[in-house]
Amino acid sequence: AACSALSAAAPSSHSPRIAPHAMASRLFGKATPKAPAPTTADISQKLGASADGIDGKIQKLETELARYTSQMKNMKDGPAKKQVQKRAMQILKQKKMYEAQRDRTQQQQFNMDQIGFTKDTLVDTKDTVNAMKAGLKDMKKEFKKMDLGKIEDLQDDMADMMEQAEEIQSTLGRSYAQDDVDDADLEAELAAMEDDPSLFFQAEESGEADYLSLPSTGTGEASATTATKEEALPSAQPA
């Protein structure tokens, strides 16, 4: 019975072992997570709020100082005026102290802003450089897919095709009706136009082409006679 009691009290070799840090957490509790470090923007915002608070204090002191200076103008020299003057001097001293503190705070805020701006610029520069590297890599990859010789051959083929198309257009634009025109006939017609331009304008107004103006023949005389006979016949009376 005693052996069984001892065996029950002894820890079993199969029980899980507790890690030292887990044991420390059970005894002393878990450590609180560390707060993140403030950024330059956080510090600048905090300094700006502090400078605004100091400005508020300065404005209150200026209001109080204006009240004391107004009182001193209406007071006669004496102990009372000296007391007011002493109080005004204290307020003016506080005002100067707050102004110096505000200037230092604003200078610190300006420094934090400059640091933040420089940091942002460096980050943007790094991103720009990485983008340029990636773009250059892609450009090299695309250039490997291009063959300069094939491009030149393509340009030559395009030039040949354009030349052939121009020849085709020139062939289709040839005139078929002026092959038999003699230059001597054209010069004679031009000379006649210079001597009497009215002949040309009459032909244009009548709408009759030059090749239809045939010389008069016997047929024309017969036609004129027939027209004269038709005019001599009496016209039919209406019913």
Side-chain angles (χ1 to χ4, degrees):
C3 291
S4 60
L6 290 175
S7 61
S12 175
S13 60
H14 298 287
S15 61
R17 298 181 62 183
I18 301 175
H21 65 275
M23 182 65 71
S25 299
R26 290 183 180 180
L27 294 176
F28 304 104
K30 293 183 179 180
T32 56
K34 187 177 180 180
T39 61
T40 54
D42 296 338
I43 297 175
S44 177
Q45 185 177 2
K46 185 177 180 180
L47 291 172
S50 179
D52 293 340
I54 296 173
D55 277 333
K57 293 179 180 180
I58 293 174
Q59 291 177 0
K60 290 181 180 179
L61 292 175
E62 287 178 348
T63 303
E64 190 174 357
L65 185 61
R67 182 169 57 86
Y68 282 129
T69 53
S70 179
Q71 289 179 2
M72 288 189 295
K73 289 180 181 180
N74 300 325
M75 294 177 67
K76 296 181 179 181
D77 294 338
K81 185 175 182 180
K82 289 183 179 180
Q83 290 294 329
V84 176
Q85 188 176 5
K86 183 179 180 180
R87 179 59 182 165
M89 292 292 292
Q90 292 177 354
I91 293 175
L92 182 60
K93 186 177 180 180
Q94 291 178 4
K95 178 175 175 292
K96 295 293 183 182
M97 181 187 67
Y98 280 127
E99 287 177 348
Q101 185 177 0
R102 180 197 60 188
D103 293 341
R104 289 193 297 267
T105 304
Q106 289 179 347
Q107 183 62 38
Q108 292 176 5
Q109 182 185 11
F110 176 75
N111 294 338
M112 289 295 101
D113 291 340
Q114 287 293 105
I115 293 173
F117 177 75
T118 304
K119 180 181 177 182
D120 294 340
T121 303
L122 292 175
V123 173
D124 294 339
T125 303
K126 180 182 177 182
D127 295 339
T128 303
V129 172
N130 292 334
M132 291 174 65
K133 290 180 179 179
L136 181 60
K137 184 178 179 180
D138 294 338
M139 288 174 62
K140 290 181 178 179
K141 186 184 297 183
E142 294 298 328
F143 269 115
K144 289 181 180 178
K145 300 177 182 179
M146 298 181 182
D147 188 355
L148 182 59
K150 293 182 179 180
I151 295 175
E152 291 179 351
D153 295 340
L154 178 61
Q155 289 289 340
D156 295 338
D157 294 340
M158 290 294 296
D160 294 339
M161 292 297 296
M162 294 296 293
E163 185 177 357
Q164 293 177 9
E166 186 176 357
E167 292 178 357
I168 292 173
Q169 294 296 326
S170 177
T171 302
L172 293 176
R174 288 187 303 179
S175 176
Y176 300 101
Q178 297 181 359
D179 292 339
D180 296 336
V181 177
D182 190 4
D183 293 340
D185 296 339
L186 293 176
E187 291 177 358
E189 184 177 355
L190 183 60
M193 289 171 56
E194 292 177 357
D195 294 338
D196 190 2
S198 61
L199 297 176
F200 175 75
F201 292 112
Q202 290 176 359
E204 290 290 335
E205 292 176 358
S206 62
E208 182 181 0
D210 293 340
Y211 58 84
L212 294 178
S213 300
L214 299 176
S216 58
T217 58
T219 307
E221 294 178 356
S223 299
T225 304
T226 305
T228 304
K229 291 181 181 180
E230 289 179 356
E231 291 176 358
L233 292 176
S235 58
Q237 296 295 331

